[in-house]
C-alpha cells in the first residue's frame, strides 16, 4: 500500500484532490453562508419565547413520553408475537452450554477477523504521510470505539464520538476528520444497504432459496434502494438542496433558524464523503476489502453460531435476517441490549426458522460479537488515552521549542 494513496481523497495538506476540485468555487459562497446560519448566537430566553412560542412543538415537548410509549409498544409486541412461538424458552437457554465448542470457537475467530476489517478500513481512510494514524492507533481507535458503541446504541453514536476525538488529537484537521468519517460511514452502510437490497429483492423474486415474507424482504429492499438513491443524488442535488435549506433558515427565527442552518450543512458533507468514497472505489483501494471483511466475517460468526446448535437456514435467509435484525441497533435502548437480539430472532421466526434454534444461535452470536470484545475494547480505550496524551505532549513540546 503506497503511503500517498489517500492524500488526494481527503488531505488538503498536499493540495485538493480531483474529485473535490469540481464545483469547489461554486460552493464556497454557500458554505460561508451555511456556517454563519449554523453559528448564530443563541438568543436570550425572552427573544426565544417571542420567536418560538410553541417551545419546539408537540414532538419536542413530549419526546420522553412518546419514546416511553414506543418502547413499551415494542416490548409488548415482542412478548406477544415472539415469545409465544418459542417453546420451552427456559430449557432452550440452558442448552447454550451444550453448543459445539469448535463451531463457537470458529465464530470467535470470524468475529476477530471482522474487527480486523474495520481496522484496515479506518487506517486506509485516515493514514497520512508522516501522520500518526497507523496500525497501532487504528487498532486502539477501532476497539475503543466499539466499546463506546456498547454504552450508547443509536447507530454507533458513542463510537463516532471517541473516533473523532482521537483523530482530532492525532493532528488531522476538522474538515479531514469530517469528510473521512462520512466516507467511512458511506462505505460501511453502502455495503449494508446494497446487501439488504440485493438479498431482499433476490428472495422476493425467487432468485435465492428460502421463504419470502414481504415485510422482511421486499419492504426492507425498497427502503435500502431509496437510501442508496438519496445518497447518490447528493452528487447533483447538494447545492440546490443546500440553497433551499438556507432559504428556509432565512425565513425562520430562533431555534428553527439554527436547526435549518445545521441541516443545510448535511448535503455538502454527504457530497464530500461520497466523492472521497468514489475516489477509493475507482482506484481500487485495497483497504476497501476491510469493509467487506467486517460485514462478511460478522455474518460468518452468526452462521457458525447456528452450526454450533443445528443446521443454519439458507444463505439468503441468514443474510437478510441478519441485516433486518441489525436495524434494531438504531433504537435508543440502554447499551443497545435487546434491540438487535429481538430483531434477529423475530426475523428468523418470520422466515420459519425453528424458534429454539434461532434463540440459541442469536444469543451465542451476540455473546461473541457484543460481549467478548468488551474487555479488549476497554483496554484499548485506556491505551488510546495514553497515546493521545503522548501526542498532546509532543505537540506542546513543539510549541514550546
Amino acid at each position: 500500500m503506497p503511503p500517498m494513496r489517500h492524500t488526494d481523497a481527503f488531505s488538503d495538506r498536499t493540495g485538493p484532490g480531483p474529485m473535490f476540485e469540481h464545483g469547489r468555487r461554486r460552493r464556497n459562497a454557500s458554505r460561508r453562508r451555511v456556517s454563519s446560519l449554523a453559528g448564530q448566537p443563541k438568543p436570550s430566553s425572552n427573544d426565544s419565547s417571542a420567536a418560538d412560542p410553541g417551545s419546539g412543538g408537540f414532538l419536542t415537548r413530549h419526546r420522553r413520553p412518546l419514546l416511553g410509549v414506543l418502547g413499551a409498544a415494542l416490548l409488548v409486541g415482542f412478548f406477544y408475537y415472539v415469545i409465544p412461538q418459542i417453546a420451552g424458552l427456559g430449557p432452550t437457554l440452558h442448552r447454550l452450554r451444550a453448543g459445539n465448542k469448535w463451531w463457537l470457537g470458529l465464530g470467535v475467530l470470524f468475529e476477530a477477523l471482522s474487527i480486523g476489517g474495520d481496522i484496515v478500513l479506518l487506517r486506509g481512510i485516515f493514514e497520512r504521510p508522516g501522520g500518526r494514524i497507523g496500525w497501532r492507533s487504528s487498532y486502539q481507535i477501532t476497539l475503543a470505539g466499539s466499546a463506546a458503541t456498547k454504552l450508547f446504541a443509536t447507530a454507533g453514536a458513542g463510537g463516532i464520538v471517541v473516533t473523532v476525538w482521537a483523530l482530532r488529537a492525532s493532528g488531522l484537521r476538522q474538515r479531514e476528520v469530517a469528510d473521512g468519517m462520512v466516507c467511512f460511514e458511506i462505505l460501511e452502510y453502502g455495503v449494508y444497504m446494497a446487501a439488504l437490497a440485493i438479498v431482499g429483492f433476490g428472495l422476493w423474486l425467487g432468485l435465492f432459496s428460502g421463504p419470502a415474507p414481504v415485510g422482511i424482504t421486499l419492504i426492507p429492499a425498497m427502503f435500502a434502494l431509496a437510501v442508496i438513491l438519496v445518497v447518490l443524488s447528493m452528487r447533483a442535488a447538494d447545492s440546490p438542496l443546500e440553497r433551499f435549506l438556507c432559504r428556509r433558515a432565512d425565513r425562520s427565527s430562533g431555534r428553527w433558524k439554527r436547526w435549518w442552518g445545521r441541516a443545510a450543512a448535511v448535503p455538502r458533507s454527504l457530497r464530500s464523503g461520497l466523492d472521497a468514497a468514489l475516489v477509493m472505489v475507482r482506484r481500487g483501494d485495497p483497504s476497501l476489502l476491510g469493509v467487506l471483511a467486517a460485514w462478511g466475517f460478522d455474518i460468518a460468526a452468526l452462521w457458525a453460531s447456528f452450526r454450533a446448535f443445528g443446521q443454519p437456514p439458507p444463505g439468503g435467509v441468514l443474510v437478510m435476517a441478519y441485516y433486518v435484525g441489525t436495524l434494531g441497533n438504531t433504537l435508543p435502548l440502554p447499551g443497545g441490549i435487546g434491540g438487535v437480539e429481538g430483531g434477529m430472532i423475530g426475523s428468523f421466526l418470520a422466515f420459519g426458522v425453528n424458534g429454539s434454534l434461532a434463540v440459541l444461535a442469536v444469543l451465542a452470536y451476540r455473546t461473541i460479537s457484543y460481549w467478548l470484545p468488551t474487555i479488549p475494547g476497554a483496554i484499548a480505550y485506556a491505551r488510546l488515552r495514553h497515546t493521545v496524551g503522548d501526542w498532546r505532549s509532543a505537540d506542546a513540546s513543539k510549541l514550546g521549542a
Side-chain angles (χ1 to χ4, degrees), residues 18-80:
M19 296 302 296
F20 291 161
E21 193 64 31
H22 174 71
R24 185 184 295 273
R25 295 179 180 177
R26 176 173 56 87
R27 297 194 296 268
N28 278 343
S30 61
R31 288 184 180 186
R32 290 192 294 269
R33 185 183 182 194
V34 168
S35 298
S36 63
L37 289 171
Q40 289 287 335
K42 185 175 181 179
S44 64
S45 58
N46 294 335
D47 295 339
S48 176
S49 60
D52 191 10
S55 300
F58 178 83
L59 292 179
T60 301
R61 288 182 284 112
H62 300 83
R63 180 181 179 185
R64 289 186 178 180
L66 289 175
L67 286 177
V69 171
L70 176 61
L74 291 173
L75 190 63
V76 170
F78 179 78
F79 278 96
Y80 184 80

Side-chain angles (χ1 to χ4, degrees), residues 279-332:
V279 167
M280 297 178 68
V281 172
R282 286 171 179 168
R283 70 173 172 229
D285 195 306
S287 61
L288 292 174
L289 295 175
V291 68
L292 299 178
W295 287 116
F297 284 116
D298 199 45
I299 296 174
L302 177 60
W303 172 82
S305 298
F306 267 99
R307 290 302 303 264
F309 299 98
Q311 288 298 318
V317 171
L318 181 75
V319 172
M320 196 65 190
Y322 168 86
Y323 280 118
V324 172
T326 305
L327 290 173
N329 192 45
T330 61
L331 297 175

Side-chain angles (χ1 to χ4, degrees), residues 363-390:
L363 293 182
Y365 157 74
R366 288 292 283 171
T367 300
I368 292 171
S369 66
Y370 190 94
W371 293 111
L372 290 185
T374 300
I375 295 178
I379 296 173
Y381 177 71
R383 292 181 176 176
L384 180 61
R385 289 182 61 88
H386 185 271
T387 300
V388 168
D390 291 341

Side-chain angles (χ1 to χ4, degrees), residues 31-360:
R31 288 184 180 186
R32 290 192 294 269
R33 185 183 182 194
V34 168
S35 298
S36 63
L37 289 171
Q40 289 287 335
K42 185 175 181 179
S44 64
S45 58
N46 294 335
D47 295 339
S48 176
S49 60
D52 191 10
S55 300
F58 178 83
L59 292 179
T60 301
R61 288 182 284 112
H62 300 83
R63 180 181 179 185
R64 289 186 178 180
L66 289 175
L67 286 177
V69 171
L70 176 61
L74 291 173
L75 190 63
V76 170
F78 179 78
F79 278 96
Y80 184 80
Y81 292 105
V82 177
I83 296 299
Q85 301 185 52
I86 304 174
L89 184 59
T92 295
L93 297 179
H94 287 298
R95 286 178 54 198
L96 278 173
R97 302 177 182 177
N100 187 295
K101 303 302 187 294
W102 290 103
W103 283 115
L104 294 175
L106 184 61
V108 173
L109 175 61
F110 284 150
E111 191 60 32
L113 293 173
S114 173
I115 295 173
D118 281 330
I119 295 171
V120 169
L121 181 62
L122 184 77
R123 175 182 176 271
I125 291 176
F126 291 104
E127 184 188 32
R128 300 288 184 272
R132 291 167 167 166
I133 302 300
W135 286 113
R136 185 171 70 93
S137 56
S138 297
Y139 162 81
Q140 293 174 354
I141 293 172
T142 300
L143 268 293
S146 176
T149 298
K150 293 173 176 56
L151 297 177
F152 308 99
T154 59
I160 292 175
V161 170
V162 171
T163 301
V164 170
W165 164 73
L167 292 173
R168 291 287 288 131
S170 74
L172 293 177
R173 300 182 182 181
Q174 183 175 357
R175 175 50 53 188
E176 288 181 284
V177 173
D179 291 346
M181 288 302 298
V182 175
C183 175
F184 185 93
E185 297 298 323
I186 284 177
L187 290 172
E188 283 266 325
Y189 289 98
V191 172
Y192 182 108
M193 292 298 170
L196 199 63
I198 292 171
V199 179
F201 284 124
L203 285 169
W204 187 66
L205 295 173
L207 300 178
F208 302 131
S209 62
V214 173
I216 52 174
T217 55
L218 180 60
I219 293 178
M222 293 177 66
F223 166 76
L225 182 61
V227 171
I228 292 172
L229 293 177
V230 168
V231 174
L232 290 177
S233 70
M234 289 300 104
R235 298 209 69 208
D238 62 321
S239 292
L241 182 57
E242 187 176 71
R243 289 194 295 269
F244 167 77
L245 294 172
C246 286
R247 288 195 299 269
R248 293 300 301 265
D250 289 338
R251 298 169 184 171
S252 304
S253 60
R255 70 180 61 182
W256 283 107
K257 184 179 186 69
R258 295 191 301 276
W259 190 91
W260 286 114
R262 295 188 184 100
V266 173
R268 170 167 48 89
S269 298
L270 283 176
R271 168 67 186 266
S272 299
L274 179 61
D275 284 346
L278 291 176
V279 167
M280 297 178 68
V281 172
R282 286 171 179 168
R283 70 173 172 229
D285 195 306
S287 61
L288 292 174
L289 295 175
V291 68
L292 299 178
W295 287 116
F297 284 116
D298 199 45
I299 296 174
L302 177 60
W303 172 82
S305 298
F306 267 99
R307 290 302 303 264
F309 299 98
Q311 288 298 318
V317 171
L318 181 75
V319 172
M320 196 65 190
Y322 168 86
Y323 280 118
V324 172
T326 305
L327 290 173
N329 192 45
T330 61
L331 297 175
L333 298 172
I337 301 172
V340 175
E341 291 87 343
M344 281 191 182
I345 293 172
S347 297
F348 281 119
L349 291 177
F351 277 116
V353 177
N354 177 269
S356 296
L357 177 59
V359 170
L360 289 168

